[in-house]
Amino acid sequence: IGGFEVDEKTGYRQYTNDVWKSDDGINWSQIKTRTYPINNIDSDFMPRFNHSCVVANHGGKNYIYLIGGATMIEGTEGGYSFLYFHDVWRSENGINWVKLANNDFGQRSELAACVDPSNGRIYIQGGNHSLTFDNSGLYNKPGEYYYNVWYSDDGMNWLADDSFSILRAGHSMLMYDHSLWLFPGKDDSYRELRFAEDDLYYTYRKEGDKAWTLDSKGSAFNARHSYATVEFDNKIWVLGGETGDNGPNNDVWCGYIK
């Protein structure tokens, strides 16, 4: 769903909002073509990348939710052409998308997102934003609770968990063994992009209604960001990402967390 694409024959590059699907991971079909609704941004989600997509059941229906992301406005040059989003869209079939009237959780790309399958609650945290720094810490934030964990039971009404806040982007969240997990990542875009320092490599856990706790100060896989995380065969799988060793990696790790 969406992303940044390159034509291998011509080298032409663009952000996209097309949708592809597959029943086996081998054969793919395009079910939604690219559009560019710059003059009617409520008709379709803008082409973008670094957004998050999750599936949640609300009101007895399964929906694909698309949250946040970023793009560049076509025909515009310079830093002001980059646009960050704080919108939420959902679809029952991946073809027709509806923009939700969500409250503002702060513009963000490279955010982490996951769903609690037991109740359909959507969680998001962190990411990059477009606000320039204006203080001694060399960063700013769109809202008071920007770096908190946010959650919603319908994709429209979002609340911030004010008990936990951390500066992180390009990371992941996952519901596993009845707990919410926050995995390593990098810093945000308005400080140096670090991803091997302690505060970015720690793993945090929230079990039920209990408080967030520091679960681990390191993992077997090395520091990274922009990777994929899934649960499969009762294990957590970490795939690829940008590492400090030699750039992008295609290694795969799996394991249990107890």
Side-chain angles (χ1 to χ4, degrees):
I1 302 174
F4 183 73
E5 63 180 3
V6 181
D7 189 312
E8 297 181 359
K9 295 181 179 180
T10 66
Y12 181 76
R13 305 179 182 189
Q14 65 179 0
Y15 298 88
T16 187
N17 59 354
D18 59 349
V19 180
W20 295 72
K21 74 172 185 179
S22 173
D23 294 324
D24 57 12
I26 301 172
N27 302 292
W28 291 82
S29 59
Q30 187 181 48
I31 60 173
K32 177 184 178 299
T33 58
R34 183 184 188 272
T35 64
Y36 189 70
I38 189 64
N39 296 318
N40 185 9
I41 59 174
D42 291 335
S43 64
D44 196 4
F45 66 91
M46 282 283 289
R48 64 187 68 191
F49 77 150
N50 289 338
H51 49 289
S52 286
C53 289
V54 296
V55 173
N57 187 290
H58 291 148
K61 293 183 179 181
N62 288 320
Y63 294 99
I64 305 172
Y65 284 87
L66 183 148
I67 307 168
T71 194
M72 291 191 74
I73 301 174
E74 295 180 1
T76 305
E77 297 181 358
Y80 293 104
S81 65
F82 216 75
L83 178 65
Y84 288 77
F85 297 103
H86 50 95
D87 53 356
V88 180
W89 296 75
R90 75 181 183 186
S91 173
E92 295 182 54
N93 54 21
I95 303 171
N96 304 302
W97 293 81
V98 176
K99 184 179 182 181
L100 302 184
N102 60 286
N103 60 307
D104 188 10
F105 47 72
Q107 54 179 244
R108 58 185 77 212
S109 69
E110 297 188 83
L111 65 155
C114 71
V115 172
D116 184 344
S118 68
N119 56 20
R121 176 166 289 181
I122 306 172
Y123 295 90
I124 62 172
Q125 197 278 327
N128 293 330
H129 56 80
S130 64
L131 295 192
T132 56
F133 51 78
D134 61 2
N135 55 47
S136 59
L138 297 183
Y139 67 96
N140 203 346
K141 53 187 177 182
E144 181 180 1
Y145 299 106
Y146 183 81
Y147 295 115
N148 293 70
V149 174
W150 289 73
Y151 60 92
S152 173
D153 293 324
D154 57 11
M156 292 180 283
N157 301 289
W158 293 84
L159 298 172
D161 177 359
D162 59 7
S163 68
F164 181 77
S165 177
I166 188 171
L167 181 66
R168 192 164 288 188
H171 55 311
S172 66
M173 298 176 71
L174 195 68
M175 288 296 304
Y176 176 77
D177 193 24
H178 308 293
S179 294
L180 180 61
W181 297 84
L182 185 74
F183 293 107
K186 64 178 181 180
D187 212 327
D188 80 351
S189 60
Y190 287 101
R191 298 178 71 187
E192 183 181 359
L193 295 180
R194 301 171 288 114
F195 53 91
E197 297 187 8
D198 287 346
D199 59 338
L200 301 171
Y201 199 35
Y202 290 174
T203 297
Y204 294 86
R205 176 184 186 180
K206 179 178 174 60
E207 183 180 0
D209 294 329
K210 297 180 181 179
W212 281 93
T213 58
L214 174 62
D215 181 77
S216 171
K217 291 187 177 182
S219 304
F221 61 90
N222 55 342
R224 65 189 61 208
H225 65 86
S226 305
Y227 55 92
T229 306
V230 296
E231 180 185 353
F232 175 68
D233 195 25
N234 296 319
K235 291 179 280 189
I236 293 178
W237 298 70
V238 175
L239 302 91
E242 184 83 15
T243 71
D245 292 340
N246 55 0
N249 210 327
N250 63 346
D251 55 345
V252 177
W253 296 77
C254 69
Y256 300 97
I257 299 181
K258 298 181 180 181

